[in-house]
Amino acid sequence: MKVLIIGSGGREHALAWKVKQSEQVRQIFLAPGNGGTTTFAENVPINVKDIQKLADFANQNEIDLTIVGPEMPLVAGIVDEFKKRNLRIFGPSQNAALLEGSKVFAKELMAKYDIPTASFRIFDNPDKAVKFVELKNCPMVIKADGLAAGKGVIVCDGKGQARQAIKEIMIKEKFGDAGKKVIIEEKLIGQEASIIALSDGENVLALTPSQDHKQIYDGDKGPNTGGMGAYSPTPVVDREIFNYCVDKIIKRTVLGMKKEGMRFQGVLYAGIMMTEDGPKTLEFNVRFGDPEIQAILPRMKSDLVDLILGTLEGNLADKKIEWSDKTCVCVVMSSGGYPGSYENGKEISGIKEAESLDDIVVFHAGTKKEGQKILTNGGRVLGITGLGKDIKGAIERTYKAVKIISFDNMYYRKDIGLKAF
Ligand code: AMP
Ligand code: GLY
């Protein structure tokens, strides 16, 4: 089988690494891929947004299966275009991708199908939104409706901050059309966890639970990033909580989507806050989490391609996933300055030495290969991923590998996984 993976991050490297282990797979392409994927797969220089060119490539190269990494092409309708051309692709249709593409759509679905989430109001008028803020006393969260590169959610501790957020989003149109509507919701308190599941439109198969570390600094301080590290499984989600999340959040969402005539086929990822009143949904994504999936796939013993085909063929009910008992930790090494501005082109050393340690994999994200050199080429540069017999062992092993790698002005969090204690 020939497989095309769309994207260039740590998630896509991890997917390609896992897909390569499948006996069904003969050749792997990544569009556009990164400095790590080019060593075992073929990188194709096509942008993830260029849906027509991607479909042309899949057609001309007789790709048997395309796996989409990031949300952008899904929300832009890549799955519909591939299906129109009879090309097999894994991911939700453009309609179903609204679960991530529109937070208003997602919240309305949650309300309609009794899916636990924070209480909320929707506004399309900034004056009314500000009036609502004036009447409220509690801390609030303001969210732009559409995709905003992870920057459209502002957790506000005071009214001034909330008014400012509404102004930035709705009047100054900081995120363009994505800010035509806002959600104002109750601020939830608790630990966050990620539940990522496969759905064939009817049945779901949840992966092992994981926990991301979104903020840039240790102790969850500073601005949000795409994610600075993750580990799996997490004690924050015990068996009972896991079953609750799968039944009351994942399954209800898939069923709701089916009833709405938008069968959800692909990856459904729920960001969930474990509050005193039980788990509540923060958001949905329609793709694998990054870095979460980097800390999940090294524990997966089953064939991912087989699971993906099961999802596409509608027989997930017959599938099971086998997991290793080990714990996996992924530490993201980033360019100093990220999530703000940073410089590219720094030479990275120590990757081979780190990879030679037992139970360590280095997933590349923002890297490129130039001759024999690997250079930085993005905010999140590498995901150093290690397995251990428990969380303590996994943390020790992973940081041992992290310390072998270096590049100018690198940055990483020193506390990945400590939330488990
Ligand atoms: P979202 O894109 O909706 O997941 O929001 C990004 C981040 O904002 C989440 O991972 C949470 O850390 C935070 N967040 C979103 N909604 C809430 C909420 N209602 N209460 C507290 N934090 C929130
Ligand atoms: N790690 C958060 C995300 O993938 O959205």
Side-chain angles (χ1 to χ4, degrees), residues 65 67 133 199:
L65 172 65
I67 302 171
V133 164
S199 162

Side-chain angles (χ1 to χ4, degrees), residues 2-61:
K2 284 173 153 182
V3 177
L4 168 65
I5 296 173
I6 294 174
S8 62
R11 166 180 49 214
E12 289 75 24
H13 187 167
L15 286 167
W17 171 85
K18 181 68 185 160
V19 162
K20 189 164 189 285
Q21 293 165 19
S22 169
E23 281 175 7
Q24 309 180 57
V25 174
R26 185 160 58 83
Q27 205 176 1
I28 304 173
F29 299 89
L30 285 102
N34 60 40
T37 57
T38 180
T39 58
F40 66 95
E42 224 169 290
N43 285 357
V44 187
I46 307 177
N47 191 288
V48 302
K49 290 185 205 152
D50 207 336
I51 292 176
Q52 295 301 330
K53 270 199 193 145
L54 290 166
D56 290 345
F57 177 86
N59 214 352
Q60 284 152 12
N61 292 277

Side-chain angles (χ1 to χ4, degrees), residues 170-418:
M170 300 189 87
I171 298 172
K172 293 196 181 163
E173 299 181 357
K174 190 172 171 186
F175 308 116
D177 282 353
K180 278 205 153 42
K181 290 183 188 170
V182 295
I183 294 161
I184 304 184
E185 71 177 36
E186 157 205 16
K187 180 180 171 185
L188 301 173
I189 311 285
Q191 289 243 24
E192 275 182 68
S194 306
I195 304 285
I196 300 174
L198 305 175
S199 162
D200 63 13
E202 191 113 23
N203 309 288
V204 307
L205 193 56
L207 310 186
T208 180
S210 58
Q211 204 174 24
D212 188 11
H213 297 64
K214 286 201 163 130
Q215 290 87 351
I216 185 78
Y217 302 126
D218 286 9
D220 289 346
K221 303 264 170 23
N224 267 348
T225 70
M228 294 302 293
Y231 71 98
S232 130
T234 169
V236 170
V237 181
D238 62 20
R239 180 67 23 208
E240 191 186 338
I241 295 178
F242 181 74
N243 289 338
Y244 179 94
C245 293
V246 172
D247 289 344
K248 305 272 189 299
I249 297 176
I250 302 287
K251 285 190 181 162
R252 280 186 189 173
T253 303
V254 168
L255 197 72
M257 290 297 279
K258 188 182 159 203
K259 285 194 178 148
E260 297 296 313
M262 297 185 237
R263 277 173 76 94
F264 189 91
Q265 223 176 23
V267 179
L268 181 60
Y269 155 170
I272 300 171
M273 189 78 94
M274 306 300 156
T275 76
E276 269 184 3
D277 301 328
K280 294 196 179 181
T281 316
L282 292 168
E283 63 163 343
F284 287 121
N285 296 312
V286 298
R287 49 169 175 84
F288 291 112
D290 190 6
E292 288 97 318
I293 201 65
Q294 299 183 56
I296 290 176
L297 290 178
R299 296 186 50 237
M300 184 188 276
K301 292 188 187 164
S302 313
D303 179 350
L304 179 64
V305 174
D306 186 50
L307 295 169
I308 288 178
L309 294 179
T311 309
L312 292 175
E313 284 153 15
N315 58 15
L316 261 192
D318 304 333
K319 304 280 177 193
K320 251 187 77 187
I321 312 181
E322 301 273 357
W323 297 103
S324 142
D325 290 335
K326 291 183 175 170
T327 295
C328 189
V329 168
C330 169
V331 174
V332 171
M333 301 185 77
S334 64
S335 299
Y338 171 79
S341 58
Y342 52 83
E343 281 174 25
N344 285 332
K346 315 281 186 199
E347 187 176 350
I348 308 171
S349 68
I351 294 178
K352 279 217 173 80
E353 293 79 351
E355 280 175 330
S356 70
L357 298 179
D358 282 343
D359 275 344
I360 289 287
V361 216
V362 175
F363 294 124
H364 292 228
T367 71
K368 72 171 179 202
K369 195 158 185 271
E370 237 177 56
Q372 287 313 303
K373 289 183 186 170
I374 298 286
L375 306 179
T376 66
N377 192 37
R380 292 192 289 175
V381 176
L382 298 168
I384 319 304
T385 305
L387 290 162
K389 77 175 191 328
D390 52 21
I391 179 71
K392 193 164 163 282
I395 291 173
E396 273 171 23
R397 188 188 301 272
T398 307
Y399 276 105
K400 192 172 155 199
V402 166
K403 290 192 180 116
I404 297 175
I405 295 174
S406 101
F407 52 92
D408 213 24
N409 209 15
M410 66 181 187
Y411 173 81
Y412 57 88
R413 273 180 67 159
K414 315 277 185 301
D415 65 345
I416 302 301
L418 295 186

